[in-house]
Amino acid sequence: MTLIDLEIKKKLTYLGHACFLLDTGEKKILFDPFISPNSIVQEIRKKNLDATQVANLDVDKIECDYVLISHGHEDHVADAEAILKRTGAKVVSNFEIVSWFAEKGIDNGHPMNHGGSWEFDFGTVKYVNAVHSSVLPDGTYGGNPGGFVLCIGDTNIYYAGDTALTYDMRLIGEDVNLDYAILPIGDNFTMGVSDAIRAAKFVKCDQVIGMHYDTFGYIEIDHEAAKKQFTDNLVNLALMEIGEQKELI
Ligand code: NI
Ligand code: MN
């Protein structure tokens, strides 16, 4: 058996918008679930082209151990309550959002706040700054928005959440050797392509996975132009198909 065989494969599935399912090989971590109200996701399910892809997008069947929520907006929490109640997964977010779920009877959450790290059974999570806003769908104050830096075995991932470009991202680059940065690129509500490229430089990561684009009219992007702009700046941009699974290094 070679070392490669002994390595646990980590897999990332894109569920549309800012939602990803990360399978560490041992635990499954879901980010910002917004699946059932996402019309693009539902169109793909209706077309029924690829059975695995379609199955990955079934809100009633998604299995996960953790749900990480970057901030309180509807397009990041829409399916969280149902998934948390069905799976018994642990919600990890800022204090205000975890408290909001606790009031709905989901009382096994893990509250964090900016700059704090915690060692979970799959690895370490740090809750980091995002420049954005954060109100929950019912109008409840959703604390300050954030992103997550995950260190899982040898793999380090930055999930930025919804954010503007900020100089604070340099702190992440100084702190951790990132393998992947999952960055918003849709512009209007978050960074656009140009600022996401600058963010990649700030966090010192040349493997970017795009999110928060195409879902609504305001954030439609030209995929080829975005990829070219990244490549021209020596950063790779992956735009995953919705339902697609990617093996991480
Ligand atoms: Ni938002
Ligand atoms: Mn958003």
Side-chain angles (χ1 to χ4, degrees), residues 202-240:
F202 282 4
V203 299
K204 297 182 189 162
C205 183
D206 61 6
Q207 295 297 326
V208 170
I209 297 165
M211 66 168 169
H212 216 274
Y213 61 93
D214 286 356
T215 320
F216 324 115
Y218 291 121
I219 61 174
E220 280 169 15
I221 65 160
D222 179 332
H223 292 204
E224 289 318 308
K227 283 186 197 165
K228 184 177 184 307
Q229 204 179 326
F230 268 80
T231 308
D232 289 347
N233 287 279
L234 308 177
V235 181
N236 182 62
L237 173 67
L239 297 180
M240 295 174 70

Side-chain angles (χ1 to χ4, degrees), residues 71-76 132-134 162 189-190 212:
H71 67 293
H73 289 157
E74 172 78 14
D75 59 320
H76 299 261
H132 193 67
S133 55
S134 174
D162 284 8
F189 297 117
T190 67
H212 216 274

Side-chain angles (χ1 to χ4, degrees), residues 165-212:
L165 177 69
T166 158
Y167 242 64
D168 286 348
M169 289 168 177
R170 284 186 182 268
L171 298 174
I172 297 169
E174 288 170 10
D175 189 30
V176 181
N177 268 326
L178 290 176
D179 298 290
Y180 298 97
I182 303 175
L183 303 179
I185 56 171
D187 220 333
N188 191 74
F189 297 117
T190 67
M191 297 188 284
V193 168
S194 300
D195 279 352
I197 291 168
R198 296 171 71 197
K201 305 282 184 192
F202 282 4
V203 299
K204 297 182 189 162
C205 183
D206 61 6
Q207 295 297 326
V208 170
I209 297 165
M211 66 168 169
H212 216 274

Side-chain angles (χ1 to χ4, degrees), residues 149-161:
V149 177
L150 291 90
C151 299
I152 304 168
D154 291 338
T155 309
N156 300 327
I157 302 166
Y158 171 42
Y159 176 89

Side-chain angles (χ1 to χ4, degrees), residues 24 26-27 65-66 90 118-124 152:
T24 70
E26 288 172 339
K27 299 288 173 184
D65 303 288
Y66 292 89
K90 184 183 281 291
W118 186 259
E119 205 170 304
F120 292 92
D121 57 3
F122 60 86
T124 305
I152 304 168

Side-chain angles (χ1 to χ4, degrees), residues 41-53:
V41 172
Q42 296 318 319
E43 277 306 307
I44 289 171
R45 292 191 67 207
K46 263 187 242 157
K47 282 185 197 154
N48 210 8
L49 295 174
D50 178 312
T52 314
Q53 195 182 30

